[in-house]
């Protein structure tokens, strides 16, 4: 078992009686939780991990963080080992493969009394709700989000054309959700042709290689959509190196690089992701549960107050996002 971080603990001076908060409202303090991150190899994930530690400390929880390394079997083993320790009261799980860990989380963990919050990646094939036996799902990268992004692309490029999409690992839920959205939206727009859907490891280097091949094979390409800002930088570099300023690039991720790229005209627009709210809602659900309060079965990150009414960032509205303190990473 690879433990990414040390335990964030609340000192004895910060608590009253064991299992009771200072104001007597509940028993969050003293609980130990684990956060199973899908990985720790990019800014989005690192931001989420760092914020999880901050939020857990604010709630008076101890937290261990595990790096899933984008390896479904590795993460499954981490969860198995964590259950076997009998140390944890709750898990926040960002699954590498939501089906791979379905049974162990909804049966083994729940049977042991461990409360489960799923974030980012749905468990057991459900959509926009908690899997049976778990507390909640926190999501903002579901099929509906990708449909909205596609509709925005169609609006920005009304004449249609040829599009290539570049995503992360093909077994990952974001990739599969985008694939579903394409199957729903593309038939509605006969003026558009999808000439490729490519998987990567979410890195700029891999995306650069894929984009080079795509651009070489498609002299009449109109649009590239990238499913993560950390990849998009490589795609932009590939397009610039080949002199392909005729190709419009759209991004999902909304990090600081993407915001700057929108302002500089390197990409048409980005869509914001919220790694801090994502982990915060997952831990909040455990807090509510430990205090005997109702827990929402679904937290929709697309409805977060920090957003100025949309997730789509372009030159016209970017100042509204910056006024809200975005991007987060």
């Amino acid at each position: 078992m690879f433990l990414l971080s040390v335990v964030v603990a609340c000192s004895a001076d910060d608590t009253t009686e064991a299992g009771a908060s200072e104001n007597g409202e509940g028993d969050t303090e003293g609980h130990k939780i684990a956060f199973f991150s899908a990985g720790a190899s990019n800014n989005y994930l690192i931001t989420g991990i760092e914020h999880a530690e901050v939020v857990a400390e604010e709630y008076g929880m101890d937290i261990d963080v595990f790096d899933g390394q984008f390896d479904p079997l590795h993460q499954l083993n981490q969860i198995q080992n964590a259950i076997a320790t009998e140390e944890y009261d709750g898990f926040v799980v960002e699954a590498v493969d939501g089906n791979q860990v379905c049974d162990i989380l909804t049966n083994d963990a729940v049977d042991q009394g461990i409360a489960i919050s799923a974030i980012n990646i749905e468990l057991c094939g459900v959509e926009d709700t908690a899997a049976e036996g778990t507390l909640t799902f926190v999501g903002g990268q579901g099929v509906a989000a990708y449909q909205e992004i596609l509709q925005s692309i169609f609006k920005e490029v009304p004449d249609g054309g040829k599009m290539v999409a570049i995503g992360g690992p093909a077994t990952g839920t974001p990739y599969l959700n985008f694939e579903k959205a394409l199957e729903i939206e593309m038939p509605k727009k006969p003026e558009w042709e999808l000439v490729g859907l490519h998987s990567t490891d979410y890195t700029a280097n891999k995306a650069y290689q894929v984009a080079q091949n795509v651009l070489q094979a498609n002299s009449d390409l109109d649009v590239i959509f990238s499913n993560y800002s950390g990849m998009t930088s490589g795609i932009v570099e590939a397009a610039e190196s080949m002199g392909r300023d005729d190709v419009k690039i759209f991004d999902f991720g909304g990090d600081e690089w993407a915001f700057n790229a929108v302002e500089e005209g390197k990409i048409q627009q980005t869509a914001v992701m919220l790694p801090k709210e994502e982990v915060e809602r997952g831990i909040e659900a455990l807090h509510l549960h430990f205090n005997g309060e109702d827990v929402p079965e679904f937290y929709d990150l697309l409805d977060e107050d920090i957003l100025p009414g949309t997730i789509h960032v372009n030159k016209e509205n970017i100042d509204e996002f910056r006024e809200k303190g975005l991007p987060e990473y």
Side-chain angles (χ1 to χ4, degrees):
M1 178 172 66
F2 178 73
L3 184 61
L4 177 68
S5 68
V6 297
V7 172
V8 177
C10 186
S11 70
D13 292 340
D14 293 328
T15 60
T16 52
E17 297 178 8
S21 65
E22 214 168 48
N23 59 16
E25 290 181 350
D27 62 351
T28 289
E29 294 188 4
H31 282 282
K32 186 171 184 177
I33 67 173
F35 174 31
F36 297 93
S37 178
S41 58
N42 61 49
N43 289 336
Y44 178 88
L45 295 168
I46 292 169
T47 299
I49 289 167
E50 291 174 347
H51 195 61
E53 293 176 335
V54 170
V55 174
E57 185 172 25
E58 289 174 351
Y59 280 130
M61 302 177 189
D62 293 345
I63 185 170
D64 291 339
V65 181
F66 298 87
D67 175 4
Q69 300 178 17
F70 285 111
D71 182 335
L73 184 57
H74 181 71
Q75 187 177 66
L76 176 63
N77 289 334
Q78 290 178 325
I79 293 171
Q80 286 174 330
N81 292 338
I83 292 172
T85 67
E86 300 185 356
E87 294 179 0
Y88 298 100
D89 304 301
F91 290 168
V92 176
V93 181
E94 182 180 43
V96 178
D97 183 333
N99 291 318
Q100 177 83 55
V101 295
C102 172
D103 184 65
I104 193 171
L105 290 173
T106 59
N107 289 301
D108 298 13
V110 171
D111 288 347
Q112 192 170 296
I114 300 172
I116 309 295
S117 291
I119 69 170
N120 192 1
I121 307 299
E122 294 98 329
L123 301 178
C124 311
V126 303
E127 293 185 12
D128 295 344
T129 190
E132 185 175 356
T134 66
L135 294 180
T136 194
F137 171 63
V138 184
Q141 298 182 53
V143 175
Y146 287 104
Q147 287 181 258
E148 189 175 315
I149 289 171
L150 286 170
Q151 291 163 7
S152 180
I153 293 173
F154 298 154
K155 183 178 179 180
E156 288 287 320
V157 190
D159 293 336
K162 293 185 176 181
M163 176 169 59
V164 163
I166 301 177
T171 58
T173 300
Y175 183 97
L176 297 174
N177 283 346
F178 182 50
E179 191 172 40
K180 290 179 185 176
L182 286 165
E183 291 171 356
I184 294 169
E185 294 298 325
M186 291 301 291
K188 301 176 184 177
K189 295 290 182 178
E191 65 272 25
W192 280 94
E193 179 185 355
L194 180 69
V195 295
L197 174 58
H198 302 270
S199 63
T200 72
D201 58 2
Y202 280 131
T203 64
N205 287 340
K206 182 64 175 178
Y208 177 88
Q209 295 168 11
V210 171
Q212 270 198 327
N213 293 335
V214 162
L215 291 166
Q216 287 170 354
N218 297 275
S219 60
D220 56 349
L221 189 65
D222 297 288
V223 166
I224 296 178
F225 169 75
S226 170
N227 193 30
Y228 175 56
S229 301
M231 298 190 305
T232 311
S233 60
I235 295 167
V236 168
E237 184 180 352
E240 290 179 342
S241 71
M242 299 174 70
R244 293 296 301 275
D245 56 4
D246 57 313
V247 178
K248 294 179 171 61
I249 299 172
F250 292 79
D251 172 68
F252 192 11
D255 66 3
E256 186 62 46
W257 174 89
F259 270 55
N260 291 337
V262 167
E263 291 173 325
E264 295 167 7
K266 293 182 177 181
I267 64 176
Q268 298 301 116
Q269 70 175 32
T270 184
V272 169
M273 292 180 183
L274 301 173
K276 291 184 177 181
E277 275 71 22
E278 189 172 78
V279 296
E280 188 168 329
R281 298 294 168 259
I283 296 173
E284 174 187 294
L286 296 180
H287 167 73
L288 293 172
H289 173 74
F290 294 151
N291 284 282
E293 299 180 36
D294 292 336
V295 179
E297 291 187 350
F298 177 48
Y299 288 91
D300 188 352
L301 295 176
L302 303 184
D303 291 335
E304 286 288 331
D305 290 340
I306 195 172
L307 295 170
T310 179
I311 61 171
H312 304 292
V313 184
N314 54 44
K315 281 187 176 181
E316 287 68 40
N317 67 7
I318 195 168
D319 288 342
E320 297 177 40
F321 285 85
R322 292 210 181 272
E323 289 169 3
K324 291 274 194 173
L326 295 168
E328 290 190 340
Y329 67 111

